[in-house]
Amino acid sequence: MAKHEKQHTGMHPTLEQPRYFPDLYASLCVDIRYWLAPRLPERYTISVERGLSMTDESGATKQYRPDASIDRAESPEAPYADAIVVQPPSFSVEVLGHPQRYVAIRDKDESLVTTIEILSPANKMGDGYEDFRRKQEQLAEKGIHLVEIDLLTQGKRRWRDDRVDQADYVMAVQRAGSSLANVWAAALGEALPAIPVPLLEPDADVPLPLEYILQEYLAKSGLGRRLR
């Protein structure tokens, strides 16, 4: 990991500009994978932008691409240990439209465990928002853990709650089978939290230190010097 001086804490409005956000988005996807990969038990694999084929109520099939996904592999081993403390969530919100009970059948073709999504402007506006919302609902119904990282102040959010709307930045973890999602809210200039990435039981969650990963990006890109 890069060694760097203390940079601006948390997100900065400059990073949301079209000039900078695509690079931030692409880098975070890769950096999150690099962080998680050595800390996962060996039974898991992690990939960036793997296409998902989902069928909607009309029977039509559409391709979706999560930013990172964790799949099952075969040989279980103990995970790598880190002294990272996951912050408690700011609050929980009800997942609208998601049933509290469901039946999930898993085989070698249904091995997805967790998706990690860094929201882009396309996920929060117009038809892209509706596509993203439907995709997340379908994944939840299939018994897949959902991790959403929203570092954009503009656009609509999937969680219809005043506390979510009032937050500058939102991270949410919706565990498979739960009708609630834990939400971490961060204000402009506030350090991003360390959040849990859930796996299959009995495997423990893996901490994801978002502020550390963001600071690494600021140092490696040189943007940190501009945002002090």
Side-chain angles (χ1 to χ4, degrees), residues 1 28-37 39-40 46 68 70 82 84-87 114-118 147-149 171-173 184 192-198 205-214:
M1 293 290 182
L28 290 184
C29 291
V30 173
D31 290 347
I32 285 173
R33 182 184 66 172
Y34 284 161
W35 171 267
L36 290 175
R39 295 164 174 84
L40 294 172
I46 183 166
I70 299 173
D82 280 300
I84 295 173
V85 177
V86 171
Q87 282 94 326
T114 306
T115 64
I116 302 170
E117 299 275 0
I118 302 170
V147 178
E148 298 179 20
I149 301 169
M171 285 58 64
V173 175
W184 288 256
L192 300 180
I195 64 174
V197 175
D205 298 344
V206 180
L208 182 61
L210 293 174
E211 180 66 19
Y212 177 82
I213 293 172
L214 176 62

Side-chain angles (χ1 to χ4, degrees), residues 2-228:
K3 294 182 180 180
H4 53 79
E5 299 176 0
K6 179 65 176 178
Q7 311 286 355
H8 174 85
T9 300
M11 274 291 289
H12 191 283
T14 298
L15 298 176
E16 297 187 52
Q17 296 176 8
R19 166 68 177 83
Y20 300 106
F21 189 78
D23 182 66
L24 171 66
Y25 176 92
S27 296
L28 290 184
C29 291
V30 173
D31 290 347
I32 285 173
R33 182 184 66 172
Y34 284 161
W35 171 267
L36 290 175
R39 295 164 174 84
L40 294 172
E42 289 188 10
R43 66 186 294 191
Y44 299 98
T45 61
I46 183 166
S47 59
V48 174
E49 295 191 333
R50 171 176 293 182
L52 290 176
S53 179
M54 303 288 291
T55 302
D56 62 23
E57 295 178 356
S58 69
T61 299
K62 186 168 184 177
Q63 289 294 121
Y64 295 103
R65 299 180 68 85
D67 296 323
S69 62
I70 299 173
D71 299 330
R72 287 183 291 188
E74 291 304 319
S75 57
E77 295 289 345
Y80 181 90
D82 280 300
I84 295 173
V85 177
V86 171
Q87 282 94 326
S90 304
F91 51 84
S92 297
V93 295
E94 185 175 359
V95 181
L96 300 179
H98 176 59
Q100 296 190 28
R101 294 181 177 87
Y102 67 96
V103 176
I105 300 174
R106 292 181 176 273
D107 57 24
K108 64 181 181 180
D109 297 321
E110 188 68 23
S111 60
L112 186 61
V113 174
T114 306
T115 64
I116 302 170
E117 299 275 0
I118 302 170
L119 272 64
S120 69
N123 296 138
K124 302 186 68 179
M125 300 176 185
D127 293 341
Y129 166 79
E130 293 299 329
D131 285 344
F132 176 74
R133 182 183 60 80
R134 284 193 294 268
K135 181 203 70 172
Q136 295 298 80
E137 289 175 356
Q138 290 177 15
L139 289 173
E141 290 170 0
K142 290 180 178 291
I144 295 167
H145 301 304
L146 307 178
V147 178
E148 298 179 20
I149 301 169
D150 185 355
L151 302 180
L152 294 165
T153 54
Q154 302 299 314
K156 295 192 293 184
R157 287 179 169 142
R158 188 163 76 94
W159 315 107
R160 306 319 305 157
D161 186 285
D162 288 343
R163 295 168 296 180
V164 173
D165 293 336
Q166 292 168 5
D168 291 321
Y169 308 108
V170 167
M171 285 58 64
V173 175
Q174 180 181 347
R175 295 177 184 272
S178 177
S179 62
L180 294 175
N182 289 330
V183 175
W184 288 256
L188 181 68
E190 182 181 4
L192 300 180
I195 64 174
V197 175
L199 303 173
L200 292 173
E201 294 183 355
D203 294 327
D205 298 344
V206 180
L208 182 61
L210 293 174
E211 180 66 19
Y212 177 82
I213 293 172
L214 176 62
Q215 291 295 333
E216 289 290 304
Y217 166 76
L218 292 175
K220 290 184 290 188
S221 68
L223 284 172
R225 295 190 295 270
R226 301 186 188 182
L227 305 183
R228 291 176 183 174

